[in-house]
Amino acid sequence: MKTNQLPISLEQEEIERFRKDTPGCLQRIHLNNAGASLPTQVVTDAMVSYLQKEALIGGYELKAQMAEDIQGFYELTAQLLHTQAHNIAYTSSATDSYARALSSIPFEEGDIILTTDDDYVSNQLAFLSLQKRYGVDVRHCPISAEGGMDIQRMMEMIRQLRPKVVAITHVPTNSGLVQDVAPIGAICQEVGSLYLVDACQSLGQMDVNVEQIQCDFLSATGRKFLRGPRGTGLLYISDRALDKGLTPLFLDLRGADWKEKDQFTVMNSARRYEYWEFPYALLLGLKEAVNYASKIGLDRIEQRVRYLANYTRQKLGELDFVRSQDRGARLCGIVTFTLDGHSKEDMQQIQRELIKEGVNLSSTGRSSALIDFDRKQIDWIMRLSPHYYNTEEEIDRCIEMLAHFAK
């Protein structure tokens, strides 16, 4: 018997249409949307069509012809994030976005970066690199009893330390946790700290409102829950950050005008964070992904994703050898777990067997979430991440095979 922990916001006819729009559903049970979602056919068609035209017309010439369509990416993405088109920059990935944002901050020795124990591994490595090169001081907010950052302690630390940057990952990749990023923005503005939010895993599975979060920067990828192509990302830059004159460390002719031999002026929009060379086919593919999600509605998508994730947790909980590794007062579409009596190598082999049977899932080792894994005393997790186009039957089949291979 299937129990609905949350109301299902999408009708069965809609789900069937989403699956028809997604050719990969005919080939696989895809439960690795936190890694890379299956794109819709319209996303693929947009990219292929552009490349075919580019081969016939020429790269610069087609870009000029498609200027209005290209501008549409910024307008649609701005609507998705509840902001304006001039606040959006296109990048090649969430990490690329994050690095461009960090590079624009004039760090000095002793500046504090205040982050959490659940920030993404690449972000943590960037902080350590800044620590090594510039002598910045990296601090971590303690976790709450439920998991995730302690909100009250974070606010106290911001007021006490007045960090140069507060950096928080909205949804970590290594658990189902959703961190409450909204209350932090006002405190950062109060003390003059810059606020950087990583929305890599949240954008596309829930509504992300930069006006409510009040962040200065927000980074995201196209390939995960947004269902765009790989090699795409986006960066939001607030008017506050733009007005401060922040620019990425390395500009090129797209982001700035060379006025005199030793003078330049930067673009008065987020385009200053972009580079001249652009994969316009990928941008248009991402535009279609943004448009597709927007038409469904992020609130409806979130209800469906949370329902399927809770259903997955429920079914996994029926297996006595499965241990949930999700922590937090609010959980999302990422479901993490370990298997009692199974080594890391065993779990890797189980994953390979499932993939052979047409079931996509992922796994993560200690080096990707060192602080969290050491606290949990684990060195490996398996991860299932359903999306709105998945079905209960697919989840049942996956867990049935998981139980079989884990014997």
Side-chain angles (χ1 to χ4, degrees):
M1 180 177 178
K2 296 178 176 65
T3 301
N4 295 358
Q5 297 91 338
L6 290 168
I8 304 176
S9 62
L10 300 178
E11 300 295 334
Q12 186 61 38
E13 293 80 7
E14 291 181 286
I15 296 168
E16 290 174 1
R17 174 167 59 83
F18 300 149
R19 293 178 65 80
K20 288 180 181 178
D21 289 345
T22 309
C25 287
L26 298 174
Q27 308 291 328
R28 318 287 296 181
I29 296 175
H30 188 75
L31 296 170
N32 187 21
N33 295 286
S37 288
L38 296 177
T40 59
Q41 186 64 51
V42 69
V43 169
T44 303
D45 288 346
M47 294 186 291
V48 172
S49 174
Y50 190 90
L51 290 173
Q52 289 175 333
K53 292 177 182 177
E54 190 176 59
L56 297 175
I57 298 173
Y60 282 29
E61 291 74 16
L62 182 60
K63 183 262 182 180
Q65 286 187 21
M66 299 287 286
E68 186 175 340
D69 288 313
I70 291 166
Q71 177 60 27
F73 161 77
Y74 298 95
E75 295 167 357
L76 286 170
T77 303
Q79 292 172 20
L80 188 74
L81 290 171
H82 306 274
T83 188
Q84 303 299 315
H86 73 267
N87 297 109
I88 302 298
Y90 175 88
T91 68
S92 65
S93 69
T95 299
D96 182 24
S97 297
Y98 208 85
R100 294 190 201 189
L102 280 177
S103 80
S104 70
I105 300 169
F107 287 106
E108 298 177 358
E109 185 174 356
D111 283 342
I112 293 173
I113 296 176
L114 179 57
T115 185
T116 76
D117 285 351
D118 291 289
D119 241 53
Y120 181 54
V121 54
S122 293
N123 305 347
Q124 298 278 10
L125 291 171
F127 304 152
L128 294 175
S129 179
L130 288 167
Q131 183 180 64
K132 183 176 181 180
R133 178 164 295 191
Y134 295 111
V136 302
D137 185 1
V138 182
R139 305 283 187 95
H140 292 79
C141 175
I143 67 166
S144 67
E146 295 174 314
M149 67 172 171
D150 184 321
I151 294 290
Q152 293 304 316
R153 187 70 184 107
M154 173 62 86
M155 291 180 176
E156 292 170 2
M157 293 180 74
I158 293 171
R159 288 194 172 101
Q160 175 189 354
L161 299 173
R162 297 184 174 270
K164 189 70 163 278
V165 178
V166 176
I168 303 174
T169 293
H170 191 190
V171 171
T173 189
N174 52 286
S175 76
L177 172 69
V178 180
Q179 302 210 87
D180 190 3
V181 295
I184 306 303
I187 308 299
C188 289
Q189 292 195 27
E190 175 188 317
V191 304
S193 298
L194 292 166
Y195 187 24
L196 171 57
V197 173
D198 179 345
C200 184
Q201 291 287 8
S202 56
L203 189 61
Q205 69 157 309
M206 61 186 67
D207 188 31
V208 176
N209 188 326
V210 294
E211 293 301 316
Q212 291 180 358
I213 297 171
Q214 298 183 67
C215 53
D216 294 291
F217 302 97
L218 183 137
S219 61
T221 188
R223 77 176 192 272
K224 296 182 184 289
F225 288 96
L226 203 49
R227 304 186 66 196
R230 296 201 70 173
T232 62
L234 59 96
L235 176 63
Y236 160 80
I237 304 99
S238 70
D239 287 335
R240 185 170 80 120
L242 292 172
D243 291 343
K244 283 178 177 288
L246 296 180
T247 62
L249 180 59
F250 297 108
L251 293 158
D252 80 354
L253 73 166
R254 183 173 178 85
D257 285 331
W258 195 16
K259 295 294 188 181
E260 301 293 342
K261 183 178 179 182
D262 57 355
Q263 294 179 8
F264 66 87
T265 59
V266 297
M267 295 288 290
N268 61 358
S269 71
R271 304 291 178 90
R272 69 180 69 164
Y273 284 80
E274 294 182 342
Y275 297 136
W276 173 261
E277 184 54 38
F278 245 66
Y280 288 103
L282 293 179
L283 179 144
L284 291 174
L286 181 55
K287 173 190 170 186
E288 293 299 335
V290 169
N291 190 42
Y292 197 92
S294 297
K295 286 182 177 179
I296 299 170
L298 271 296
D299 54 343
R300 302 177 73 221
I301 288 174
E302 180 176 5
Q303 288 184 48
R304 173 69 179 174
V305 170
R306 289 180 63 200
Y307 162 74
L308 289 175
N310 287 348
Y311 181 80
T312 303
R313 293 185 182 98
Q314 172 191 317
K315 301 300 289 187
L316 286 170
E318 296 172 4
L319 303 177
D320 57 10
F321 59 88
V322 172
R323 293 289 170 266
S324 173
Q325 297 300 333
D326 292 336
R327 302 289 185 272
R330 178 185 171 196
L331 299 179
C332 67
I334 298 176
V335 180
T336 63
F337 58 96
T338 51
L339 306 178
D340 289 349
H342 291 75
S343 66
K344 177 176 73 174
E345 290 71 26
D346 291 338
M347 288 194 283
Q348 288 175 311
Q349 181 59 34
I350 292 169
Q351 180 183 354
R352 287 192 288 268
E353 294 294 340
L354 285 166
I355 291 174
K356 285 181 185 178
E357 295 297 321
V359 179
N360 294 347
L361 73 163
S362 63
S363 55
T364 301
R366 175 178 175 269
S367 63
S368 293
L370 187 145
I371 299 173
D372 181 51
F373 279 28
D374 284 356
R375 181 182 294 112
K376 293 174 178 175
Q377 297 184 319
I378 58 176
D379 63 358
W380 200 262
I381 58 163
M382 300 189 83
R383 185 179 72 178
L384 295 172
S385 47
H387 212 345
Y388 61 85
Y389 62 83
N390 289 121
T391 65
E392 295 97 326
E393 291 72 23
E394 288 182 314
I395 293 167
D396 290 343
R397 179 59 178 153
C398 169
I399 294 174
E400 176 186 326
M401 286 190 284
L402 175 69
H404 170 72
F405 292 123
K407 289 181 180 178

